Every structure is written in C-alpha cells, then in structure tokens.
Amino acid sequence: MLRIVILSVFMLGSCNPKSQDSVKSDELKVEFSLPKKLKEVSGITLSKDKKTIWAIEDQGNKNVIYGLDQKGNLTNDILVENAENHDWEDITADSQGNIYIGDFGNNDNNRQNLAILKVDLKDNSQKSTKVIQTTKFHYEGQTEFPPKKSNWLYDCEAFVEMDGNFYLFTKNRSKGFDGTFLVFQIPNKEGDFEAKLVGKLKLDGGYSDAAITSATINSTKDKIVLLNHKNIQVLTGFSPNDFSTTKIQKISLNHNSQKEAIVFLDDKTLLIADEKDKKTGGNVYKFSLE
C-alpha cells in the first residue's frame, strides 16, 4: 500500500523522470580563477558573441553585473540603476542575446516580491544599465509564506528561457530533504503572473548531490543541465508544457565545492563557477559533455 501511495503522489506532481542513469566524469579542471572581488558568484551567462562572461552575486552584494573576458579578467562593472539585489540567484540569456536576472532567491520560502528582470545590456563598454522589463510572479500551489518546513520547495536558484517562457527549477530546502524539485513555467512578458507547475521531479542523493543551484539550456533547446555542488544533471525528453516525460542523467563531477553557476559555452561544453571560501573555490571550470 505504501508503494502505491508514493507513486500516486509523484504522478499528481507531473511525475518522476523516466530514467536516471549515473555516469562518472573526469575530475574538473580549473579554466581560470575569478577576480578576488567576486567571492559569491551566483550566476553566469554569455554575451551573444560569447566574448564576455556576465556574472552576478547574490543577496547582500551590489546590484551590479560583472563582465569578464575568456581568461577571467574583469573588464567592467555595470550598475543596474533601477533595481535592488534582493537575492539575485541566476542570470540567463535568450536566443536573441537578451539578458535576464533571476531575483528569486527565497531561502525561507516567505518572499512575495519574486521577479525576473530583463536588462538593457548590449556590450561590455557600458557603465550602467536599466531594467526594461519586470516579470513578477508567485508560485502555483503556494498558499502559506512560509509553508511547513516539510514543504519548503519554493526557493529557486536556477532558470532558463525557452521560446518565450521562463522555466524555473526550485531548490529543495525541506526538512527531510529527499531530492524533490518543482519545475515552473512563466511567460517572458511584463506583468504579474502565477508560475504554472509543469513538473515535479526527484534527484538521487543528499543535499550536495541534489540541491539545484543553477541551470542552462543548449542552442537546440532539447537539453537542460542542472547544477549541484557535486554533480550535474542532464535533462532530456521534456516538452514545453510538460516535464513529466523528462529523462535525467546524473554525471558526477568528482569534485565537491559550492558550485553556483553554469552556462553552455557551446552545445558540448559547459562553464561552471563556484563560490570562494577560505581554502577552495573561486574558480571557473570547463567541462565537456562528451
């Protein structure tokens, strides 16, 4: 009976992935160290020409987008004039090169001012920029702020843009962590929206193995990679309005640090960044999916 109940719960939540294979990778290799001033990088993305890496930091840091060249040199600090860094947790780009900041960090699951910010960012010669679109949202299914600690599924540090919609992958902070995460869809528009639940999935392992800290999507829009401290999770087989058919492949990075940011450099190569602590981190790593 218990087995049937568990299966039913996951079916109601847009289901478990079809399969979850685990693959071991070669050890991560440092591509370059981040500038000393960037100790808490929470997201990275690329300019359309891929010459600039855009980076942000999370709560408690400046409302600034940092530009880095491919060797890790800091090229400029771009102030976002009309925004506050409540908790910027990820940054992404669409296929046209537009840049979006996810101001949706929600450690205590009690925020009611969640937003995605589109910024007017054309090149790395800018000294400042402005938010030109604000997509406010609240989560379908959340009625308490915060909910019971057994249902802390409404923090988020990971999103992508795909064909006119944003897709958010939540970070499980529940008491009794079990790897469950939610997938929400929000239109890429100005306005205030209810984020539509399009998937309830589960990753194997403990917090460092399965808590999601960033996301990226390839150019053909058929592969999404989620980042954990120890692993990456490769998602395939999803459809825009339904992630219940998603297949998940876990790839061990054989490396444990506070990894917080990921982006496709090309469709076969990832850049991964981690936060700096006293002894480790503060680097950007290159990883091949082949």
Side-chain angles (χ1 to χ4, degrees):
M1 180 61 73
L2 179 59
R3 190 176 181 181
I4 295 172
V5 170
I6 291 172
L7 179 60
S8 298
V9 168
F10 278 101
M11 290 181 69
L12 285 171
S14 294
C15 300
N16 239 350
K18 290 290 184 181
S19 65
Q20 184 158 356
D21 302 319
S22 181
V23 176
K24 285 190 175 182
S25 74
D26 294 329
E27 190 167 339
L28 277 185
K29 295 180 180 179
V30 176
E31 183 73 3
F32 57 79
S33 293
L34 289 162
K36 289 183 179 180
K37 69 186 299 181
L38 296 182
K39 295 180 180 179
E40 295 184 320
V41 168
S42 60
I44 57 173
T45 194
L46 295 174
S47 60
K48 192 169 184 181
D49 63 10
K50 297 192 176 183
K51 293 181 179 179
T52 301
I53 301 169
W54 300 120
I56 56 170
E57 295 187 294
D58 55 14
Q59 185 177 24
N61 292 288
K62 297 177 180 179
N63 48 310
V64 169
I65 302 171
Y66 299 92
L68 307 171
D69 64 22
Q70 289 290 343
K71 295 182 179 180
N73 299 307
L74 186 64
T75 57
N76 59 339
D77 303 1
I78 301 176
L79 178 69
V80 184
E81 293 180 344
N82 58 338
E84 182 180 346
N85 187 343
H86 297 286
D87 196 357
W88 293 1
E89 285 291 356
D90 207 1
I91 185 170
T92 196
D94 63 20
S95 55
Q96 289 76 47
N98 297 304
I99 303 295
Y100 305 88
I101 297 169
D103 187 2
F104 42 46
N106 190 17
N107 289 4
D108 295 326
N109 281 239
N110 60 356
R111 277 187 65 182
Q112 297 187 63
N113 61 341
L114 305 170
I116 296 169
L117 312 175
K118 180 180 181 180
V119 293
D120 184 18
L121 189 56
K122 298 293 191 299
D123 57 61
N124 64 3
S125 67
Q126 291 176 233
K127 299 300 180 185
S128 64
T129 186
K130 291 185 177 180
V131 175
I132 55 175
Q133 174 183 293
T134 302
T135 304
K136 300 178 182 179
F137 68 93
H138 61 279
Y139 292 111
E140 177 185 353
Q142 184 176 13
T143 57
E144 297 178 299
F145 302 87
K148 294 180 180 179
K149 287 190 176 181
S150 59
N151 192 39
W152 276 28
L153 295 172
Y154 301 101
D155 184 21
C156 186
E157 297 186 5
F159 79 131
V160 300
E161 203 278 349
M162 178 171 64
D163 299 332
N165 288 297
F166 299 114
Y167 293 85
L168 280 63
F169 306 88
T170 67
K171 185 174 187 177
N172 187 332
R173 291 188 178 274
S174 299
K175 184 178 181 180
F177 179 90
D178 67 354
T180 297
F181 69 98
L182 307 179
V183 186
F184 288 96
Q185 180 195 69
I186 306 168
N188 181 356
K189 296 178 181 179
E190 177 83 25
D192 196 341
F193 302 95
E194 179 176 75
K196 179 183 176 184
L197 181 65
V198 294
K200 183 175 183 179
L201 305 172
K202 189 174 181 179
L203 303 178
D204 290 337
Y207 189 83
S208 293
D209 296 290
I212 299 166
T213 60
S214 189
T216 187
I217 189 168
N218 65 349
S219 65
T220 52
K221 310 291 180 68
D222 60 358
K223 185 178 292 181
I224 294 171
V225 178
L226 306 179
L227 181 65
N228 316 127
H229 290 177
K230 290 183 177 180
N231 311 305
I232 57 171
Q233 313 279 346
V234 182
L235 276 56
T236 56
F238 50 83
S239 60
N241 298 311
D242 183 7
F243 274 64
S244 66
T245 58
T246 301
K247 295 180 180 179
I248 302 177
Q249 181 187 43
K250 178 172 73 174
I251 300 176
S252 173
L253 298 174
N254 295 316
H255 183 279
N256 185 21
S257 66
Q258 192 170 338
K259 299 176 186 68
E260 295 283 345
I262 192 168
V263 66
F264 272 103
L265 179 61
D266 55 51
D267 283 352
K268 298 178 182 179
T269 312
L270 297 162
L271 294 179
I272 297 171
D274 56 8
E275 288 194 8
K276 177 72 174 175
D277 62 22
K278 291 181 180 179
K279 296 182 179 180
T280 62
N283 299 312
V284 169
Y285 310 86
K286 187 179 284 187
F287 179 77
S288 174
L289 282 175
E290 290 191 318

